[in-house]
Amino acid sequence: MSLGSALVVGLSYLFLYTVIFLAVPFVIFGLVWGMIEWYQGRSAPASVAASVPADHKH
């Protein structure tokens, strides 16, 4: 393996790990947010729907 191809492979791996490292907090936040939304919707749908404005719904 030449130095150039090793550098390209190394940079692509570095880029991949950087993307994963940056995406992990968003994935965790999304999972936690989804669980909270699901739990609130299951426990008290009327009060949650009344307190959350319509334009904040995705």
Side-chain angles (χ1 to χ4, degrees):
M1 184 183 274
S2 65
L3 187 62
S5 57
L7 191 65
V8 168
V9 170
L11 282 175
S12 57
Y13 271 108
L14 183 67
F15 178 74
L16 190 67
Y17 281 122
T18 304
V19 169
I20 293 172
F21 180 74
L22 289 175
V24 162
F26 290 102
V27 172
I28 293 173
F29 177 76
L31 285 173
V32 171
W33 181 263
M35 284 176 64
I36 291 172
E37 286 281 309
W38 173 80
Y39 181 74
Q40 283 184 343
R42 213 184 99 235
S43 58
S47 59
V48 170
S51 64
V52 175
D55 58 349
H56 281 271
K57 289 293 183 184
H58 294 294

